[in-house]
mmCIF file of all heavy atoms in Angstrom:
data_model
loop_
_atom_site.group_PDB
_atom_site.id
_atom_site.type_symbol
_atom_site.label_atom_id
_atom_site.label_comp_id
_atom_site.label_asym_id
_atom_site.label_seq_id
_atom_site.Cartn_x
_atom_site.Cartn_y
_atom_site.Cartn_z
ATOM 1 N N HIS A 29 0.865 -1.193 0.000
ATOM 2 C CA HIS A 29 0.000 0.000 0.000
ATOM 3 C C HIS A 29 0.896 1.235 0.000
ATOM 4 O O HIS A 29 1.909 1.281 0.689
ATOM 5 C CB HIS A 29 -0.906 0.037 1.230
ATOM 6 C CG HIS A 29 -1.700 1.300 1.308
ATOM 7 N ND1 HIS A 29 -2.876 1.474 0.602
ATOM 8 C CD2 HIS A 29 -1.471 2.464 1.952
ATOM 9 C CE1 HIS A 29 -3.335 2.692 0.839
ATOM 10 N NE2 HIS A 29 -2.499 3.306 1.646
ATOM 11 N N ASP A 30 0.511 2.233 -0.767
ATOM 12 C CA ASP A 30 1.221 3.513 -0.748
ATOM 13 C C ASP A 30 0.235 4.614 -1.093
ATOM 14 O O ASP A 30 -0.564 4.477 -2.022
ATOM 15 C CB ASP A 30 2.365 3.521 -1.769
ATOM 16 C CG ASP A 30 3.087 4.868 -1.797
ATOM 17 O OD1 ASP A 30 3.819 5.154 -0.833
ATOM 18 O OD2 ASP A 30 2.883 5.628 -2.759
ATOM 19 N N ASN A 31 0.289 5.664 -0.339
ATOM 20 C CA ASN A 31 -0.487 6.859 -0.615
ATOM 21 C C ASN A 31 0.438 8.040 -0.368
ATOM 22 O O ASN A 31 0.998 8.168 0.717
ATOM 23 C CB ASN A 31 -1.712 6.944 0.311
ATOM 24 C CG ASN A 31 -2.578 8.125 -0.054
ATOM 25 O OD1 ASN A 31 -3.126 8.177 -1.141
ATOM 26 N ND2 ASN A 31 -2.692 9.080 0.847
ATOM 27 N N ALA A 32 0.613 8.862 -1.377
ATOM 28 C CA ALA A 32 1.530 9.997 -1.248
ATOM 29 C C ALA A 32 0.827 11.275 -1.663
ATOM 30 O O ALA A 32 -0.062 11.265 -2.522
ATOM 31 C CB ALA A 32 2.760 9.774 -2.117
ATOM 32 N N SER A 33 1.261 12.376 -1.061
ATOM 33 C CA SER A 33 0.756 13.682 -1.481
ATOM 34 C C SER A 33 1.868 14.708 -1.333
ATOM 35 O O SER A 33 2.759 14.580 -0.500
ATOM 36 C CB SER A 33 -0.456 14.102 -0.651
ATOM 37 O OG SER A 33 -0.105 14.318 0.698
ATOM 38 N N MET A 34 1.789 15.704 -2.212
ATOM 39 C CA MET A 34 2.681 16.863 -2.175
ATOM 40 C C MET A 34 1.782 18.088 -2.204
ATOM 41 O O MET A 34 0.831 18.133 -2.996
ATOM 42 C CB MET A 34 3.604 16.891 -3.388
ATOM 43 C CG MET A 34 4.538 15.742 -3.510
ATOM 44 S SD MET A 34 5.434 15.888 -5.093
ATOM 45 C CE MET A 34 6.736 14.718 -4.823
ATOM 46 N N GLN A 35 2.098 19.059 -1.363
ATOM 47 C CA GLN A 35 1.285 20.266 -1.340
ATOM 48 C C GLN A 35 2.173 21.479 -1.108
ATOM 49 O O GLN A 35 3.147 21.418 -0.356
ATOM 50 C CB GLN A 35 0.215 20.174 -0.254
ATOM 51 C CG GLN A 35 -0.831 21.255 -0.359
ATOM 52 C CD GLN A 35 -2.090 20.942 0.427
ATOM 53 O OE1 GLN A 35 -2.162 19.959 1.152
ATOM 54 N NE2 GLN A 35 -3.087 21.791 0.284
ATOM 55 N N VAL A 36 1.818 22.566 -1.789
ATOM 56 C CA VAL A 36 2.569 23.820 -1.718
ATOM 57 C C VAL A 36 1.696 24.867 -1.039
ATOM 58 O O VAL A 36 0.541 25.070 -1.430
ATOM 59 C CB VAL A 36 2.956 24.314 -3.128
ATOM 60 C CG1 VAL A 36 3.780 25.582 -3.038
ATOM 61 C CG2 VAL A 36 3.699 23.236 -3.890
ATOM 62 N N PHE A 37 2.267 25.551 -0.034
ATOM 63 C CA PHE A 37 1.571 26.612 0.688
ATOM 64 C C PHE A 37 2.382 27.901 0.603
ATOM 65 O O PHE A 37 3.614 27.855 0.635
ATOM 66 C CB PHE A 37 1.436 26.251 2.183
ATOM 67 C CG PHE A 37 0.692 24.983 2.446
ATOM 68 C CD1 PHE A 37 1.368 23.780 2.565
ATOM 69 C CD2 PHE A 37 -0.680 24.992 2.590
ATOM 70 C CE1 PHE A 37 0.689 22.593 2.817
ATOM 71 C CE2 PHE A 37 -1.375 23.817 2.851
ATOM 72 C CZ PHE A 37 -0.692 22.616 2.963
ATOM 73 N N PRO A 38 1.715 29.057 0.561
ATOM 74 C CA PRO A 38 2.455 30.317 0.672
ATOM 75 C C PRO A 38 3.121 30.388 2.052
ATOM 76 O O PRO A 38 2.566 29.900 3.036
ATOM 77 C CB PRO A 38 1.374 31.391 0.545
ATOM 78 C CG PRO A 38 0.171 30.703 -0.007
ATOM 79 C CD PRO A 38 0.277 29.265 0.403
ATOM 80 N N HIS A 39 4.298 30.981 2.100
ATOM 81 C CA HIS A 39 5.018 31.130 3.365
ATOM 82 C C HIS A 39 5.711 32.491 3.355
ATOM 83 O O HIS A 39 6.910 32.590 3.068
ATOM 84 C CB HIS A 39 6.036 29.995 3.536
ATOM 85 C CG HIS A 39 6.685 29.972 4.884
ATOM 86 N ND1 HIS A 39 6.063 29.451 5.988
ATOM 87 C CD2 HIS A 39 7.890 30.412 5.294
ATOM 88 C CE1 HIS A 39 6.871 29.571 7.027
ATOM 89 N NE2 HIS A 39 7.993 30.152 6.638
ATOM 90 N N GLY A 40 4.948 33.522 3.603
ATOM 91 C CA GLY A 40 5.497 34.875 3.511
ATOM 92 C C GLY A 40 5.626 35.291 2.058
ATOM 93 O O GLY A 40 5.301 34.543 1.135
ATOM 94 N N GLU A 41 6.105 36.476 1.842
ATOM 95 C CA GLU A 41 6.234 37.042 0.494
ATOM 96 C C GLU A 41 7.272 36.290 -0.338
ATOM 97 O O GLU A 41 8.452 36.263 0.012
ATOM 98 C CB GLU A 41 6.624 38.519 0.595
ATOM 99 C CG GLU A 41 6.622 39.257 -0.722
ATOM 100 C CD GLU A 41 5.238 39.419 -1.329
ATOM 101 O OE1 GLU A 41 4.263 39.528 -0.552
ATOM 102 O OE2 GLU A 41 5.133 39.411 -2.558
ATOM 103 N N GLY A 42 6.822 35.659 -1.427
ATOM 104 C CA GLY A 42 7.736 35.012 -2.357
ATOM 105 C C GLY A 42 8.363 33.721 -1.871
ATOM 106 O O GLY A 42 9.328 33.238 -2.474
ATOM 107 N N HIS A 43 7.836 33.132 -0.815
ATOM 108 C CA HIS A 43 8.366 31.879 -0.280
ATOM 109 C C HIS A 43 7.263 30.819 -0.266
ATOM 110 O O HIS A 43 6.077 31.142 -0.231
ATOM 111 C CB HIS A 43 8.902 32.062 1.142
ATOM 112 C CG HIS A 43 10.089 32.955 1.211
ATOM 113 N ND1 HIS A 43 10.000 34.319 1.111
ATOM 114 C CD2 HIS A 43 11.396 32.673 1.361
ATOM 115 C CE1 HIS A 43 11.206 34.842 1.202
ATOM 116 N NE2 HIS A 43 12.081 33.864 1.357
ATOM 117 N N SER A 44 7.683 29.568 -0.242
ATOM 118 C CA SER A 44 6.752 28.445 -0.227
ATOM 119 C C SER A 44 7.110 27.471 0.879
ATOM 120 O O SER A 44 8.279 27.277 1.185
ATOM 121 C CB SER A 44 6.815 27.687 -1.559
ATOM 122 O OG SER A 44 6.528 28.529 -2.634
ATOM 123 N N ARG A 45 6.077 26.876 1.437
ATOM 124 C CA ARG A 45 6.262 25.747 2.352
ATOM 125 C C ARG A 45 5.770 24.522 1.576
ATOM 126 O O ARG A 45 4.643 24.483 1.091
ATOM 127 C CB ARG A 45 5.460 25.921 3.635
ATOM 128 C CG ARG A 45 5.659 24.782 4.624
ATOM 129 C CD ARG A 45 5.044 25.097 5.986
ATOM 130 N NE ARG A 45 3.624 25.303 5.932
ATOM 131 C CZ ARG A 45 2.689 24.377 6.172
ATOM 132 N NH1 ARG A 45 3.050 23.150 6.494
ATOM 133 N NH2 ARG A 45 1.410 24.672 6.100
ATOM 134 N N PHE A 46 6.647 23.550 1.427
ATOM 135 C CA PHE A 46 6.346 22.354 0.655
ATOM 136 C C PHE A 46 6.238 21.177 1.615
ATOM 137 O O PHE A 46 7.154 20.933 2.412
ATOM 138 C CB PHE A 46 7.454 22.124 -0.373
ATOM 139 C CG PHE A 46 7.245 20.920 -1.224
ATOM 140 C CD1 PHE A 46 6.302 20.930 -2.230
ATOM 141 C CD2 PHE A 46 7.982 19.770 -1.016
ATOM 142 C CE1 PHE A 46 6.100 19.804 -3.021
ATOM 143 C CE2 PHE A 46 7.795 18.646 -1.801
ATOM 144 C CZ PHE A 46 6.848 18.666 -2.802
ATOM 145 N N VAL A 47 5.123 20.453 1.554
ATOM 146 C CA VAL A 47 4.885 19.305 2.433
ATOM 147 C C VAL A 47 4.687 18.063 1.569
ATOM 148 O O VAL A 47 3.874 18.063 0.644
ATOM 149 C CB VAL A 47 3.638 19.542 3.321
ATOM 150 C CG1 VAL A 47 3.382 18.336 4.216
ATOM 151 C CG2 VAL A 47 3.792 20.807 4.148
ATOM 152 N N TRP A 48 5.441 17.017 1.897
ATOM 153 C CA TRP A 48 5.409 15.759 1.140
ATOM 154 C C TRP A 48 5.177 14.634 2.135
ATOM 155 O O TRP A 48 5.922 14.486 3.114
ATOM 156 C CB TRP A 48 6.734 15.588 0.438
ATOM 157 C CG TRP A 48 6.850 14.513 -0.577
ATOM 158 C CD1 TRP A 48 5.909 13.613 -0.976
ATOM 159 C CD2 TRP A 48 8.030 14.243 -1.338
ATOM 160 N NE1 TRP A 48 6.424 12.800 -1.950
ATOM 161 C CE2 TRP A 48 7.719 13.165 -2.198
ATOM 162 C CE3 TRP A 48 9.301 14.796 -1.384
ATOM 163 C CZ2 TRP A 48 8.640 12.633 -3.076
ATOM 164 C CZ3 TRP A 48 10.215 14.270 -2.264
ATOM 165 C CH2 TRP A 48 9.887 13.211 -3.109
ATOM 166 N N ILE A 49 4.151 13.821 1.895
ATOM 167 C CA ILE A 49 3.786 12.734 2.804
ATOM 168 C C ILE A 49 3.646 11.430 2.025
ATOM 169 O O ILE A 49 3.032 11.408 0.958
ATOM 170 C CB ILE A 49 2.448 13.037 3.522
ATOM 171 C CG1 ILE A 49 2.552 14.341 4.315
ATOM 172 C CG2 ILE A 49 2.030 11.868 4.419
ATOM 173 C CD1 ILE A 49 1.219 14.849 4.847
ATOM 174 N N HIS A 50 4.238 10.378 2.563
ATOM 175 C CA HIS A 50 4.058 9.011 2.047
ATOM 176 C C HIS A 50 3.559 8.150 3.199
ATOM 177 O O HIS A 50 4.212 8.060 4.234
ATOM 178 C CB HIS A 50 5.397 8.415 1.592
ATOM 179 C CG HIS A 50 5.644 8.464 0.137
ATOM 180 N ND1 HIS A 50 5.080 7.588 -0.760
ATOM 181 C CD2 HIS A 50 6.410 9.289 -0.582
ATOM 182 C CE1 HIS A 50 5.499 7.879 -1.968
ATOM 183 N NE2 HIS A 50 6.313 8.916 -1.895
ATOM 184 N N ASP A 51 2.402 7.524 3.034
ATOM 185 C CA ASP A 51 1.922 6.497 3.951
ATOM 186 C C ASP A 51 2.135 5.180 3.226
ATOM 187 O O ASP A 51 1.680 5.013 2.083
ATOM 188 C CB ASP A 51 0.435 6.687 4.262
ATOM 189 C CG ASP A 51 0.160 8.011 4.942
ATOM 190 O OD1 ASP A 51 0.924 8.371 5.856
ATOM 191 O OD2 ASP A 51 -0.807 8.690 4.556
ATOM 192 N N VAL A 52 2.855 4.258 3.861
ATOM 193 C CA VAL A 52 3.293 3.070 3.126
ATOM 194 C C VAL A 52 3.267 1.808 3.985
ATOM 195 O O VAL A 52 3.476 1.864 5.198
ATOM 196 C CB VAL A 52 4.709 3.309 2.546
ATOM 197 C CG1 VAL A 52 5.740 3.489 3.635
ATOM 198 C CG2 VAL A 52 5.106 2.237 1.557
ATOM 199 N N ARG A 53 3.011 0.699 3.304
ATOM 200 C CA ARG A 53 3.159 -0.642 3.879
ATOM 201 C C ARG A 53 3.963 -1.459 2.898
ATOM 202 O O ARG A 53 3.748 -1.322 1.698
ATOM 203 C CB ARG A 53 1.798 -1.310 4.070
ATOM 204 C CG ARG A 53 1.111 -0.861 5.295
ATOM 205 C CD ARG A 53 -0.023 -1.812 5.629
ATOM 206 N NE ARG A 53 -0.570 -1.398 6.904
ATOM 207 C CZ ARG A 53 -1.854 -1.298 7.163
ATOM 208 N NH1 ARG A 53 -2.734 -1.618 6.257
ATOM 209 N NH2 ARG A 53 -2.256 -0.907 8.344
ATOM 210 N N PRO A 54 4.857 -2.300 3.298
ATOM 211 C CA PRO A 54 5.239 -2.578 4.670
ATOM 212 C C PRO A 54 5.974 -1.390 5.306
ATOM 213 O O PRO A 54 6.578 -0.568 4.618
ATOM 214 C CB PRO A 54 6.140 -3.804 4.568
ATOM 215 C CG PRO A 54 6.657 -3.806 3.177
ATOM 216 C CD PRO A 54 5.619 -3.114 2.342
ATOM 217 N N ASP A 55 5.909 -1.345 6.605
ATOM 218 C CA ASP A 55 6.466 -0.234 7.372
ATOM 219 C C ASP A 55 7.939 0.031 7.072
ATOM 220 O O ASP A 55 8.382 1.170 7.083
ATOM 221 C CB ASP A 55 6.316 -0.490 8.876
ATOM 222 C CG ASP A 55 4.865 -0.456 9.333
ATOM 223 O OD1 ASP A 55 3.973 -0.147 8.502
ATOM 224 O OD2 ASP A 55 4.611 -0.736 10.518
ATOM 225 N N GLU A 56 8.698 -1.033 6.779
ATOM 226 C CA GLU A 56 10.141 -0.840 6.560
ATOM 227 C C GLU A 56 10.448 0.034 5.350
ATOM 228 O O GLU A 56 11.551 0.552 5.232
ATOM 229 C CB GLU A 56 10.901 -2.117 6.346
ATOM 230 C CG GLU A 56 10.603 -3.490 6.690
ATOM 231 C CD GLU A 56 9.233 -4.055 6.824
ATOM 232 O OE1 GLU A 56 8.612 -3.833 7.853
ATOM 233 O OE2 GLU A 56 8.808 -4.775 5.922
ATOM 234 N N LEU A 57 9.504 0.201 4.439
ATOM 235 C CA LEU A 57 9.743 1.062 3.273
ATOM 236 C C LEU A 57 9.767 2.550 3.631
ATOM 237 O O LEU A 57 10.298 3.357 2.875
ATOM 238 C CB LEU A 57 8.694 0.811 2.186
ATOM 239 C CG LEU A 57 8.842 -0.474 1.395
ATOM 240 C CD1 LEU A 57 7.694 -0.611 0.390
ATOM 241 C CD2 LEU A 57 10.173 -0.518 0.673
ATOM 242 N N ALA A 58 9.207 2.907 4.776
ATOM 243 C CA ALA A 58 9.164 4.328 5.164
ATOM 244 C C ALA A 58 10.570 4.896 5.369
ATOM 245 O O ALA A 58 10.805 6.065 5.071
ATOM 246 C CB ALA A 58 8.329 4.520 6.426
ATOM 247 N N VAL A 59 11.508 4.091 5.840
ATOM 248 C CA VAL A 59 12.872 4.593 6.082
ATOM 249 C C VAL A 59 13.574 4.948 4.767
ATOM 250 O O VAL A 59 14.031 6.075 4.599
ATOM 251 C CB VAL A 59 13.691 3.598 6.932
ATOM 252 C CG1 VAL A 59 15.142 4.037 7.022
ATOM 253 C CG2 VAL A 59 13.082 3.494 8.330
ATOM 254 N N PRO A 60 13.664 4.024 3.778
ATOM 255 C CA PRO A 60 14.312 4.425 2.527
ATOM 256 C C PRO A 60 13.516 5.495 1.766
ATOM 257 O O PRO A 60 14.109 6.363 1.121
ATOM 258 C CB PRO A 60 14.430 3.133 1.728
ATOM 259 C CG PRO A 60 13.491 2.170 2.363
ATOM 260 C CD PRO A 60 13.335 2.595 3.776
ATOM 261 N N MET A 61 12.194 5.455 1.854
ATOM 262 C CA MET A 61 11.392 6.500 1.196
ATOM 263 C C MET A 61 11.689 7.859 1.812
ATOM 264 O O MET A 61 11.865 8.846 1.105
ATOM 265 C CB MET A 61 9.895 6.206 1.295
ATOM 266 C CG MET A 61 9.394 5.263 0.267
ATOM 267 S SD MET A 61 7.586 5.175 0.391
ATOM 268 C CE MET A 61 7.226 4.306 -1.114
ATOM 269 N N GLY A 62 11.737 7.916 3.135
ATOM 270 C CA GLY A 62 12.032 9.178 3.819
ATOM 271 C C GLY A 62 13.403 9.708 3.438
ATOM 272 O O GLY A 62 13.566 10.907 3.185
ATOM 273 N N ALA A 63 14.388 8.832 3.348
ATOM 274 C CA ALA A 63 15.742 9.258 2.961
ATOM 275 C C ALA A 63 15.743 9.802 1.535
ATOM 276 O O ALA A 63 16.348 10.840 1.254
ATOM 277 C CB ALA A 63 16.720 8.092 3.097
ATOM 278 N N ALA A 64 15.054 9.113 0.625
ATOM 279 C CA ALA A 64 14.979 9.575 -0.758
ATOM 280 C C ALA A 64 14.230 10.905 -0.847
ATOM 281 O O ALA A 64 14.616 11.798 -1.612
ATOM 282 C CB ALA A 64 14.304 8.521 -1.629
#
C-alpha cells in the first residue's frame, strides 16, 4: 500500500512551504522513502 501527497503553501512574500507525505506498507519502506 502507498499513498503519497505533495502540497505547496504560501510562506510569507515570495516563499513556499512544501509538504510531502508518504503512507506506506510494509512499514520498513518508510525509512528508505524518507531518505529519498
Side-chain angles (χ1 to χ4, degrees):
H29 175 82
D30 178 72
N31 185 64
S33 66
M34 298 175 166
Q35 192 163 6
V36 182
F37 301 92
H39 188 79
E41 187 67 32
H43 294 76
S44 302
R45 182 170 61 95
F46 180 74
V47 179
W48 191 359
I49 301 170
H50 260 282
D51 298 316
V52 64
R53 279 196 174 135
D55 292 355
E56 339 28 281
L57 285 178
V59 173
M61 277 187 168

